[in-house]
Amino acid sequence: MKKKLIIGTVLIAIVVAAFIIFTGGKKQESVEFEKTTVEKTTIQNSITATGTIEPVTSVTVGTQVSGIVSRLYVDYNSEVKKGQVIAELDKTNLTSDLRTAQANLSSAQSSLNYEQANYNRYKTLYDKGLVSANDYETARLSYLRAKDQVVTSAQSVQRAQTNLGYATITSPIDGVVLSKSVEEGQTVAASFNTPELFTIAQDLTDMRVIADIDEADIGGVKEGQRVSFTVDAFPDDHFEGHVTQVRQQATTTSNVVTYEVVISAPNVDLKLKPGLTANVTIYTLEKNDVLAVQNKALRFMPIDALLQEGQTIEDVDAPHKVWTLEGSTFRAHAVETGITNGMLTEIVSGVAPGTEVLAGFTMTGGEEDEEQQAQNPFMPRRRNNNNNRSGNGNQQQQPRR
């Protein structure tokens, strides 16, 4: 009996040791599920860029004639009206050219009067057979040449008058003078390029932003999309606008391809100034008051390893579904999805607002009370010396050496 008792005691010790070895001496693991609520929210996606603020309409005012700037009537920030005189060039030479052209026209007209009378006289004699045909044609040719000379002289007078008018510089639009490139007494030469005298912005209360969008983001930019931007001059102010134009021409700088996007920038309080750098956020995806759920809820999938005693799974065949835990039953709900921004996905139908759905789980247990989140049951598993735990609840024994 004593020998049997010793043998029994040894067997019990072996069983206990084996249990400790194969279980690691840890407590039984439990599963806690993470839940998220299907609720109405705003789904949006955006891209960022930088741009430059400029007036919607600006005109560079120049001169088509050369000369000395004799008078300037405006300066920087001057408000001007369309047709208002803003500068004048010296008109001495231009006036002289006009008088010369007028004198040439008067001389041509006198020559025409003489040649016309001579032609009429020769025509009468020719009709009576008193002069030869050659004399008649010579008088007629002189008369036609005189007529052409009068037309040419008249055009010269008109050109001289036009050039004289160009010496008076007027504003082509209502607006504000942004820049001034000349001073009184300066000579401007209109040869191959038109000299620039002023730059006038039409309306500083209506500005725009020209933003450079990277080629990787330009596909999502469309006209009408909402835009918000800030400027360093007013870091606490947020300005609103919308995309008015997506230009097709690409610009390549240091192998970086960008496209220009025009953004409206209302400027009622005149805080925005031409040339400021704008930090732009374009909302390429935006939908308000839509039913949505976190994307991880659509990836959640309960498996047998997660089931506790008495729990069951009721699945459905659908491309998109979410899961609820109702009592001891994991129930799948087929849903129709809409837009997504990578974090939230619109739920068109399938579940009601306020429904709590499963989005992940946490497994706890063991001497160290280790916790490991698993939002995707099919994520790679991390191994340790004693067992292999993953979010799906599987546990595999590792052989001891």
Side-chain angles (χ1 to χ4, degrees):
M1 288 294 295
K2 185 176 180 180
K3 185 181 294 185
K4 291 181 180 180
L5 182 59
I6 293 173
I7 293 173
T9 302
V10 172
L11 291 175
I12 293 173
I14 292 174
V15 171
V16 171
F19 176 80
I20 293 174
I21 290 173
F22 286 99
T23 62
K26 297 183 179 180
K27 301 177 183 178
Q28 184 179 3
E29 292 181 334
S30 62
V31 181
E32 295 181 0
F33 291 96
E34 177 187 351
K35 296 182 179 180
T36 185
T37 304
V38 180
E39 57 187 357
K40 290 188 175 182
T41 184
T42 297
I43 297 179
Q44 60 183 207
N45 200 8
S46 62
I47 61 175
T48 59
T50 58
T52 303
I53 295 176
E54 63 181 38
V56 174
T57 302
S58 62
V59 178
T60 300
V61 181
T63 175
Q64 291 183 269
V65 294
S66 302
I68 298 174
V69 179
S70 60
R71 295 293 301 275
L72 290 177
Y73 298 103
V74 295
D75 203 347
Y76 291 94
N77 301 334
S78 297
E79 295 186 1
V80 295
K81 298 294 183 181
K82 182 177 181 179
Q84 176 181 337
V85 177
I86 57 179
E88 287 185 349
L89 303 181
D90 181 70
K91 300 179 181 180
T92 303
N93 292 336
L94 297 174
T95 302
S96 176
D97 292 341
L98 175 59
R99 290 174 179 172
T100 300
Q102 289 173 338
N104 292 335
L105 176 61
S106 178
S107 176
Q109 186 64 50
S110 299
S111 296
L112 175 61
N113 293 336
Y114 169 77
E115 294 297 341
Q116 183 176 10
N118 188 53
Y119 167 70
N120 291 335
R121 182 168 60 253
Y122 269 86
K123 185 176 184 304
T124 301
L125 295 175
Y126 177 74
D127 292 339
K128 295 179 178 180
L130 300 178
V131 294
S132 65
N134 184 54
D135 292 340
Y136 168 73
E137 290 298 333
T138 301
R140 179 175 176 273
L141 179 59
S142 298
Y143 167 64
L144 294 177
R145 287 177 175 175
K147 286 181 64 176
D148 292 340
Q149 185 61 41
V150 169
V151 173
T152 301
S153 298
Q155 293 293 331
S156 297
V157 171
Q158 184 177 357
R159 185 182 304 108
Q161 289 176 335
T162 302
N163 289 337
L164 182 60
Y166 286 152
T168 302
I169 313 299
T170 59
S171 173
I173 59 174
D174 296 342
V176 177
V177 177
L178 296 183
S179 66
K180 183 184 68 170
S181 304
V182 294
E183 298 292 342
E184 289 186 1
Q186 182 175 340
T187 301
V188 292
S191 54
F192 296 102
N193 297 321
T194 301
E196 296 181 1
L197 306 183
F198 305 94
T199 299
I200 300 177
Q202 185 173 32
D203 185 6
L204 293 182
T205 63
D206 185 18
M207 306 286 278
R208 66 181 180 181
V209 179
I210 306 298
D212 295 324
I213 307 299
D214 189 83
E215 61 177 327
D217 299 324
I218 194 63
V221 181
K222 302 290 186 298
E223 292 184 7
Q225 291 174 341
R226 185 172 70 90
V227 180
S228 65
F229 63 93
T230 60
V231 294
D232 293 340
F234 304 98
D236 297 329
D237 293 341
H238 292 268
F239 303 90
E240 296 288 332
H242 64 275
V243 176
T244 59
Q245 186 182 48
V246 181
R247 294 177 175 173
Q248 301 296 329
Q249 184 178 5
T251 301
T252 303
T253 304
S254 300
N255 294 326
V256 177
V257 180
T258 58
Y259 291 83
E260 288 187 345
V261 173
V262 183
I263 301 165
S264 66
N267 188 31
V268 179
D269 53 6
L270 298 179
K271 286 186 176 181
L272 300 177
K273 301 182 183 301
L276 289 178
T277 299
N279 303 306
V280 177
T281 300
I282 302 176
Y283 296 94
T284 56
L285 173 67
E286 188 171 33
K287 200 169 183 180
N288 299 319
D289 198 29
V290 295
L291 196 63
V293 71
Q294 294 183 23
N295 284 2
K296 60 183 179 180
L298 294 169
R299 297 192 300 265
F300 178 83
M301 177 71 69
I303 57 178
D304 293 338
L306 296 178
L307 299 183
Q308 303 294 320
E309 184 178 356
Q311 291 183 333
T312 59
I313 297 176
E314 292 185 5
D315 202 353
V316 294
D317 185 13
H320 305 287
K321 50 191 169 184
V322 292
W323 293 82
T324 58
L325 180 58
E326 302 175 7
S328 60
T329 302
F330 291 91
R331 181 168 285 108
H333 302 269
V335 294
E336 180 184 355
T337 60
I339 63 174
T340 181
N341 65 353
M343 298 180 61
L344 297 173
T345 297
E346 178 187 7
I347 301 298
V348 178
S349 62
V351 291
T355 303
E356 286 191 339
V357 297
L358 300 176
F361 63 90
T362 303
M363 300 191 70
T364 60
E367 293 177 352
E368 299 176 356
D369 194 23
E370 180 182 359
E371 296 185 1
Q372 180 175 348
Q373 290 286 349
Q375 298 176 354
N376 187 343
F378 304 102
M379 289 176 60
R381 303 169 183 174
R382 186 181 62 184
R383 294 184 176 183
N384 56 30
N385 292 331
N386 297 327
N387 52 31
N388 176 19
R389 296 182 181 178
S390 66
N392 59 16
N394 289 339
Q395 181 172 315
Q396 296 181 355
Q397 298 292 340
Q398 297 296 323
R400 291 180 178 271
R401 296 183 179 177

